[in-house]
Amino acid sequence: MKHIYLNLKRFDVPAELGGVNRIADMKDWGKYIVENTQEELKKYSPEDVEFAMFFPEIHLFSACQAKTENSPVQVGCQGVFRDDVAPGKNFGAFTTGRPAAAMKAAGCETVIIGHCEERNNLAGILAEAGVVNTKAINTILNKEIKSAVDRGMKVLYCIGEKSEELEQWQEVLGEQLELGLKDVDKSKVTIAYEPVWSIGPGKIPADKEYITKIAKFVKEKTDGMDIVYGGGLKQDNAAMLASIPEIDGGLIALTRFQGEIGYYPEEYLEIISLYMNA
């Protein structure tokens, strides 16, 4: 089974406001993406590959409502809060939070947790108090994963090392796996590997040898959990990633990196075709 994930970040912000959205009006954006991808995705066997899309919260309803019968699209959210609604306890006092119960009720089947942007946010909050504690971050992410799994949601759990952590990559990734997955039903979780040190303008992408090394390490540490490449499945690396036996899919974000940079449904479908047919 292959897994193709789509992290739509905040690509919904209109270009005239500084964003990269040139494809649809803000209120129709989630609907537009589902409607312009799901029929083409139906040509792939659900026994061979699954497709999940992680939307900003305001687009969940329109994305779910756009799904047709037998749609292969799994609608997901971009994180859940570490605590959840519970009878007789907290019945909904979660200002700014996304309790897993709310995301499940909104139609989410899956969630992305531990993305490098979430990790950076948590690290930034701790830094304001003069604290550097990666164990605390991984423990918080573990609570988020448990909240999602307890509500019947699948999880894409992201791990990765920064440039200053390259020499200690085994310790860094090992801690993220050990603490993040502690007491978690691993059958509900897929790992995404993000080589944070290689992502961004001017940086050299991780090569096949390095990605293979990490994938083998992760599978050894997790008793063979599925792992996808989270550093960006793109047109120019789809064939290479498809040739790595230990990699079980990829995470797509931007589809166009020059000119009118952004996410475009037709280019998303092209990337999937390149990967699946490689």
Side-chain angles (χ1 to χ4, degrees):
M1 167 72 78
K2 295 295 184 181
H3 315 271
I4 305 295
Y5 298 97
L6 174 62
N7 183 16
L8 289 154
K9 302 194 179 188
R10 291 315 312 226
F11 299 154
D12 58 340
V13 179
E16 60 268 25
L17 296 179
V20 297
N21 176 17
R22 300 178 179 84
I23 61 175
D25 186 272
M26 186 79 158
K27 67 180 184 300
D28 299 320
W29 190 74
K31 172 185 175 183
Y32 180 91
I33 289 170
V34 173
E35 287 183 341
N36 284 274
T37 55
Q38 64 184 341
E39 294 306 317
E40 184 68 16
L41 295 179
K42 287 180 179 179
K43 73 180 185 181
Y44 299 100
S45 169
E47 296 180 356
D48 295 332
V49 58
E50 66 172 3
F51 303 100
M53 301 179 177
F54 303 112
F55 287 89
E57 187 173 339
I58 62 172
H59 302 292
L60 293 177
F61 288 123
S62 68
C64 288
Q65 290 167 359
K67 291 176 61 174
T68 57
E69 185 177 0
N70 299 320
S71 174
V73 174
Q74 298 175 25
V75 173
C77 54
Q78 298 177 345
V80 295
F81 195 65
R82 61 186 178 274
D83 295 323
D84 200 5
V85 176
K89 296 181 180 179
N90 191 331
F91 54 81
F94 291 99
T95 303
T96 79
R98 290 187 299 266
M103 296 299 93
K104 182 70 174 181
C108 291
E109 302 166 74
T110 182
V111 57
I112 183 170
I113 292 175
H115 189 278
C116 64
E117 291 162 8
E118 181 183 11
R119 290 180 181 274
N120 287 341
N121 178 52
L122 293 172
I125 293 171
L126 290 175
E128 289 295 323
V131 176
V132 177
N133 190 333
T134 57
K135 289 186 178 180
I137 293 172
N138 289 313
T139 299
I140 291 171
L141 297 176
N142 174 254
K143 291 180 179 179
E144 295 177 359
I145 294 172
K146 288 177 179 176
S147 289
V149 171
D150 286 347
R151 288 293 178 180
M153 299 167 68
K154 292 186 284 188
V155 175
L156 180 65
Y157 177 50
C158 302
I159 65 170
E161 77 281 39
K162 299 179 180 180
S163 56
E164 63 269 25
E165 298 170 329
L166 276 172
E167 292 186 3
Q168 295 83 35
W169 68 268
Q170 289 178 300
E171 291 83 358
V172 171
L173 300 183
E175 179 186 286
Q176 292 173 357
L177 291 169
E178 180 180 356
L179 296 182
L181 297 175
K182 184 178 180 181
D183 300 325
V184 168
D185 180 355
K186 295 179 182 177
S187 70
K188 304 297 185 182
V189 182
T190 299
I191 303 297
Y193 169 60
E194 296 182 280
V196 185
W197 55 271
S198 75
I199 301 172
K203 295 184 179 180
I204 300 175
D207 61 18
K208 180 178 180 178
E209 181 180 1
Y210 193 89
I211 296 170
T212 302
K213 176 181 72 173
I214 299 297
K216 288 181 177 179
F217 172 82
V218 170
K219 285 191 177 291
E220 180 181 344
K221 286 289 184 181
T222 63
D223 296 322
M225 287 179 68
D226 283 359
I227 175 173
V228 304
Y229 182 66
L233 174 58
K234 312 169 187 176
Q235 288 95 335
D236 59 4
N237 67 9
M240 179 271 285
L241 292 171
S243 72
I244 302 176
E246 294 80 8
I247 290 293
D248 303 297
L251 176 61
I252 299 170
L254 287 173
T255 62
R256 189 180 304 176
F257 297 85
Q258 295 179 341
E260 293 189 336
I261 295 170
Y263 165 81
Y264 297 88
E266 67 275 13
E267 295 171 355
Y268 160 80
L269 294 170
E270 178 190 359
I271 294 169
I272 291 171
S273 178
L274 289 170
Y275 180 81
M276 294 301 296
N277 296 319

